[in-house]
Amino acid sequence: MAKLVAMVGGGLATLTPVAAGVWMSLDPLRRKSAAATFLPIADVSSVPDDGMPRQFPVIADRTDAWTGFAAEPIGAVYLRREAGSDTVQAFTATCPHAGCFIELDQRDRCFRCPCHNSSFTLDGGIVSPSPSPRAMDTLECEVRDGRVSVKWENFYSGIEAKEARP
Ligand code: FES
């Protein structure tokens, strides 16, 4: 009987640290992605209703494998309101062509991507000819208690369909 207890005790003493090691090594795979969650962006009052988009950083907690970073910039969005409208439009600042950062050209009242010269209208439509296969990617947006939140997603670039990355 003593031998059996010793064997069980020894087995548990051996397996527990091994199981803990396996559990920790799989930690990044167990974590939920921050993708496709609504993230607070700005006060609606900081998006003037003049039809001109404004750029805002997207801030969220980020995890890189086993390391966590609190309140890090993970991207950027453009928010826009038409004159006299409470409705906010949101676009990701990532170009659908190859992922460069889209810039706002205030003088010519359009968006431009500096990498391969794609152009977009202020409401995100594509200006032909542009190498981008689609218009700017819109993001779901909600305004609650004076705060704008967007459903943050990344999309595949270089294809005609707007397809969210997992
Ligand atoms: S990445 Fe924007 S035009 Fe190519």
Side-chain angles (χ1 to χ4, degrees):
M1 181 67 181
K3 265 187 174 178
L4 180 65
V5 170
M7 282 174 55
V8 169
L12 283 176
T14 303
L15 287 179
T16 301
V18 170
V22 169
W23 183 255
M24 286 306 295
S25 69
L26 296 176
D27 186 55
L29 302 176
R30 289 184 288 111
R31 289 195 194 137
K32 276 190 173 171
S33 166
T37 55
F38 275 90
L39 298 173
I41 302 296
D43 286 337
V44 71
S45 60
S46 56
V47 187
D49 60 349
D50 59 1
M52 184 60 73
R54 303 299 195 280
Q55 184 197 122
F56 296 89
V58 178
I59 307 290
D61 295 342
R62 186 174 67 83
T63 303
D64 183 2
W66 288 266
T67 310
F69 303 91
E72 287 263 311
I74 59 168
V77 294
Y78 287 103
L79 300 182
R80 175 177 186 263
R81 276 200 298 161
E82 294 281 5
S85 172
D86 286 339
T87 305
V88 178
Q89 286 182 299
F91 309 96
T92 175
T94 304
C95 182
H97 180 228
C100 289
F101 191 87
I102 295 171
E103 297 172 352
L104 178 64
D105 183 337
Q106 295 214 17
R107 195 193 62 184
D108 288 347
R109 297 183 63 82
C110 67
F111 289 105
R112 291 189 198 286
C113 180
C115 289
H116 313 99
N117 295 322
S118 283
S119 298
F120 306 91
T121 57
L122 290 183
D123 61 358
I126 193 161
V127 177
S128 293
S130 284
S132 177
R134 62 178 188 265
M136 287 175 70
D137 293 319
T138 55
L139 297 168
E140 273 186 61
C141 185
E142 65 180 28
V143 180
R144 190 171 296 164
D145 300 328
R147 293 283 295 166
V148 181
S149 299
V150 299
K151 186 177 175 185
W152 178 246
E153 293 181 280
N154 288 301
F155 302 94
Y156 287 106
S157 59
I159 58 176
E160 200 170 322
K162 177 185 168 192
E163 207 173 299
R165 289 177 181 272

